[in-house]
Amino acid sequence: MVKCPRCGYDNHSSTTYCENCSYILKGSSTGQKKGGWKMGTVKKIALIIGIIAIALILFSVIYNFTQPSNEESLNVIVADSNVQEGSSHPYEVKVVYDGTWYSKSGEPSSLQEQSNQGNHTFNLDCAAWDKVYVLAEKTDGASGVMKVQLIRNGEVVAENSTTDGTNQITINYQS
């Protein structure tokens, strides 16, 4: 005879459930878990943190592979939906002058300084969508013509000139 631990009823030794209250009796293999995951709380937390870490690493790898390269991100889509190939330096400044000159140019918050003599063309460290500022002045005080051109992807987008020996040339441009 097997006594039920819940209600105390005496059951036959072959019964699986108490005949009085339906409690699963000891010694019965039905309904008992054998060899399940017996894991402590610390191990469960470590397992969850490990799964989250693996998910974040996978997300990071997938995200990095789906981002465009620097060259691709500088391509410009114009109004007719054509892609206009950009470059890492889409703007250039061309100074046409026989004497010595000085310039500050680029995106207004980070201007590049140039000082040179004679005709010179140089790249600006600006993106195609940046506002561009150019300030050029003669440093020799001569009265010859000084011309400054702002070139974007090979095309002149702004131009200014002066013949005065002390005057400055400025160009403010935003596409």
Side-chain angles (χ1 to χ4, degrees):
M1 297 294 273
V2 177
K3 190 173 192 166
C4 177
R6 184 190 293 167
C7 68
Y9 183 78
D10 285 329
N11 295 286
H12 294 295
S13 60
S14 63
T15 53
T16 306
Y17 296 97
C18 176
E19 294 172 4
N20 185 38
C21 69
S22 301
Y23 183 77
I24 297 174
L25 300 173
K26 280 188 176 182
S28 166
S29 61
T30 313
Q32 298 285 333
K33 289 186 178 178
K34 289 198 174 185
W37 283 27
K38 293 182 182 178
M39 203 186 280
T41 305
V42 174
K43 287 184 180 179
K44 288 178 185 175
I45 291 172
L47 178 66
I48 290 170
I49 291 173
I51 291 171
I52 291 171
I54 290 170
L56 288 174
I57 290 170
L58 286 174
F59 174 76
S60 175
V61 168
I62 291 170
Y63 179 80
N64 287 334
F65 279 117
T66 59
Q67 295 303 305
S69 68
N70 285 342
E71 285 80 27
E72 292 170 336
S73 66
L74 290 174
N75 289 339
V76 178
I77 300 177
V78 292
D80 62 359
S81 299
N82 290 326
V83 175
Q84 201 176 41
E85 286 294 321
S87 70
S88 58
H89 300 286
Y91 288 108
E92 295 177 310
V93 173
K94 181 176 183 180
V95 177
V96 180
Y97 181 59
D98 289 333
T100 57
W101 52 268
Y102 167 80
S103 76
K104 286 184 180 180
S105 53
E107 196 272 324
S109 66
S110 61
L111 296 174
Q112 298 169 232
E113 294 186 35
Q114 288 277 335
S115 187
N116 216 321
Q117 180 174 353
N119 300 339
H120 189 70
T121 302
F122 53 94
N123 291 326
L124 295 182
D125 192 18
C126 297
W129 52 86
D130 283 341
K131 181 178 181 179
V132 179
Y133 173 77
V134 179
L135 167 74
E137 66 180 279
K138 300 175 187 178
T139 57
D140 60 4
S143 61
V145 175
M146 178 181 188
K147 180 168 69 171
V148 177
Q149 296 177 326
L150 179 62
I151 302 167
R152 179 177 173 197
N153 294 327
E155 289 185 39
V156 176
V157 293
E159 180 177 273
N160 204 348
S161 63
T162 185
T163 55
D164 187 357
T166 59
N167 214 1
Q168 298 176 339
I169 298 173
T170 58
I171 296 175
N172 284 306
Y173 178 80
Q174 184 160 6
S175 59

